[in-house]
Amino acid sequence: QVQLQESGPGLVKPSETLSLTCTVSGGSVSSGSYYWSWIRQPPGKGLEWIGYIYYSGSTNYNPSLKSRVTISVDMSKNQFSLKLSSVTAADTAVYYCARDRGASGYWYFDLWGRGTLVTVSS
Amino acid sequence: QSALTQPASVSGSPGQSITISCTGTSSDVGSYNLVSWYQQHPGKAPKLMIYEGSKRPSGVSNRFSGSKSGNTASLTISGLQAEDEADYYCCSYAGSPTPPVVFGGGTKLTVL
């Protein structure tokens, strides 16, 4: 079965760049049926969609984060990645990668990684 | 787009039914039958419970059902069980421009 697993540093200093990778196992990131999304959840708060990438490399970002976000895909490693620049304490959150049926017009997240907590602190 | 509006909390006793509302606008919930619902237990990732307004993924109990009226979507859980205690989030397609999806603020379900 398809599984997603986030990886990356759990602690990032203010003003630096947060970098996370999501590894897709049991399936292929090059499937044309899915977008591959990043979603975050600050401690004790709700979910916020960050953005997605399609296997072709096309991306779509939340306007509230667009100036700081880059999502990329590496089909050779079956991974997609998130970079968030100039982080502040407000970026402290659990970051999830998720499979998004939006590419097929259905717009729901049917598979999630376990999430990884990233804390922004000096 | 603004977040969808959900009640902060709902509660019910085992065996009862509860409904969680999710209010959007004519630009999201009201325009598309593309609302999804997610269950999240503490420290766990969200789990898809309902998609396209009323469809259940394989393996999700038929005690969970979804519906929509106007700009408000609803999740109903019948025959409440202790394991249903969790946070629930709605999500709707919002068309363009971005973001294409918006989430609700979440509802804490307490099983008394």
Side-chain angles (χ1 to χ4, degrees), chain A residues 39 41 45-49 52 60-63 66 96 100 105-115, chain B residues 34 36 38 40 43-48 50-52 87 89 91-93 98-101 103-106:
Chain A
I39 296 163
Q41 184 173 36
K45 296 187 178 181
L47 301 166
E48 179 182 32
W49 176 79
Y52 69 66
N60 193 357
Y61 302 139
N62 192 320
K66 187 174 183 177
Y96 295 100
D100 178 353
Y106 300 119
W107 298 101
Y108 58 88
F109 305 98
D110 65 347
L111 187 65
W112 297 66
R114 296 178 68 177
Chain B
L34 292 172
S36 51
Y38 303 86
Q40 186 179 36
K44 300 295 187 182
K47 174 187 175 183
L48 177 68
I50 296 288
Y51 65 98
E52 293 178 43
D87 293 326
Y89 293 90
C91 179
S92 175
Y93 177 62
T98 59
V101 292
F103 283 99

Side-chain angles (χ1 to χ4, degrees), chain B residues 25-91:
Chain B
T25 69
S26 58
S27 297
D28 38 62
V29 175
S31 287
Y32 309 98
N33 199 25
L34 292 172
V35 173
S36 51
W37 290 90
Y38 303 86
Q39 176 192 66
Q40 186 179 36
H41 287 110
K44 300 295 187 182
K47 174 187 175 183
L48 177 68
M49 304 302 285
I50 296 288
Y51 65 98
E52 293 178 43
S54 60
K55 297 180 180 179
R56 281 187 308 275
S58 174
V60 172
S61 170
N62 59 9
R63 297 185 298 105
F64 292 82
S65 62
S67 62
K68 189 186 86 166
S69 177
N71 295 337
T72 299
S74 298
L75 173 70
T76 297
I77 309 174
S78 59
L80 269 181
Q81 299 179 0
E83 68 232 39
D84 299 331
E85 184 163 297
D87 293 326
Y88 291 84
Y89 293 90
C90 63
C91 179

Side-chain angles (χ1 to χ4, degrees), chain A residues 84-96:
Chain A
L84 182 65
S85 63
S86 304
V87 297
T88 69
D91 295 311
T92 294
V94 175
Y95 285 76
Y96 295 100

